[in-house]
Amino acid sequence: EGIQAEQDMRMRMRSEPVKQGLPRPVSVKCVSLNIGLASNINQDVHDLIEEEMRRMVLNDAKEFPIPGLPAPENESVSPASTDVEEKYLLEARNMVQEEMATSSASADTINETSVSIEQASKSVVYVPSRGGWISMKGISPEELLEARKFEHAELLNALNDCVSKASKIEKKCQVLNGGYQVSVQISV
């Protein structure tokens, strides 16, 4: 029972990528956050987060090596990074869950905003003769027809651009795959 309890504790202390069998970096040297700093995060905080992440990945590589790859030997992990009390891990997980709940609420607000923008854009049309966007309520049938013809012309131009790009890509594919096509036709 004591051995089982210790193994359970070790399992809970593993990082999520190890627990879930997610892909992990092959080399610890390539680990970096590679993100732009948000305006509210200073460089010191960013550096500390990146160092903690590097230590976590290095610890995972040593403690739970990827099958077929040797564990890193020349780098050392400070014992403090692997000796975290479970209450601190639970507190950190709770903080992350709270942040996720906040960010999902923000995503809902963004979705509501985009829906209201879409609804607002349906209530106005661009009339070239007036040189601007006009409310659907104060527009004459002739102006509405002009606006729809303008939209149609714009969509037709965009479609022609896409067709042109697609034909260029097809030509490139024919050049690249032409030899394969000939060999397949000969073998059939």
Side-chain angles (χ1 to χ4, degrees):
E1 287 183 26
I3 296 172
Q4 182 64 33
E6 187 176 321
Q7 287 177 343
D8 290 343
M9 176 64 109
R10 278 181 48 93
M11 177 58 100
R12 283 195 306 271
M13 300 294 280
R14 290 180 179 178
S15 67
E16 288 301 315
V18 172
K19 281 184 192 176
Q20 297 179 19
L22 299 174
R24 296 183 283 152
V26 176
S27 170
V28 179
K29 293 181 176 93
C30 69
V31 173
S32 174
L33 286 178
N34 289 333
I35 58 171
L37 288 176
S39 59
N40 61 345
I41 299 177
N42 70 25
Q43 185 64 43
D44 293 337
V45 171
H46 182 270
D47 292 344
L48 287 171
I49 292 170
E50 191 161 309
E51 176 59 24
E52 180 62 27
M53 183 182 69
R54 191 190 70 73
R55 291 188 332 185
M56 182 187 71
V57 170
L58 181 61
N59 182 60
D60 285 348
K62 283 186 166 222
E63 294 286 322
F64 316 102
I66 297 173
L69 292 177
E73 297 172 4
N74 54 353
E75 297 199 46
S76 63
V77 179
S78 65
S81 68
T82 60
D83 243 0
V84 179
E85 291 182 36
E86 191 169 1
K87 68 178 183 178
Y88 294 121
L89 283 176
L90 289 173
E91 187 176 329
R93 284 190 182 108
N94 290 337
M95 291 170 66
V96 168
Q97 287 174 349
E98 287 173 14
E99 183 66 29
M100 293 295 289
T102 303
S103 66
S104 68
S106 299
D108 291 341
T109 304
I110 290 170
N111 288 339
E112 290 170 7
T113 303
S114 65
V115 167
S116 63
I117 289 173
E118 185 178 334
Q119 289 171 348
S121 68
K122 288 180 180 178
S123 66
V124 295
V125 291
Y126 182 77
V127 180
S129 63
R130 284 194 175 179
W133 294 88
I134 309 297
S135 170
M136 291 291 284
K137 293 178 182 173
I139 193 170
S140 69
E142 294 83 23
E143 289 174 327
L144 181 60
L145 180 62
E146 178 188 358
R148 297 302 183 212
K149 284 182 178 179
F150 178 77
E151 284 178 28
H152 180 264
E154 289 294 310
L155 288 171
L156 195 58
N157 287 337
L159 178 66
N160 287 334
D161 288 344
C162 289
V163 167
S164 173
K165 289 177 185 176
S167 66
K168 288 178 184 177
I169 290 172
E170 274 187 31
K171 287 178 185 175
K172 287 181 182 179
C173 287
Q174 286 174 350
V175 169
L176 289 172
N177 298 326
Y180 297 116
Q181 290 172 350
V182 170
S183 64
V184 166
Q185 288 173 353
I186 290 172
S187 67
V188 174

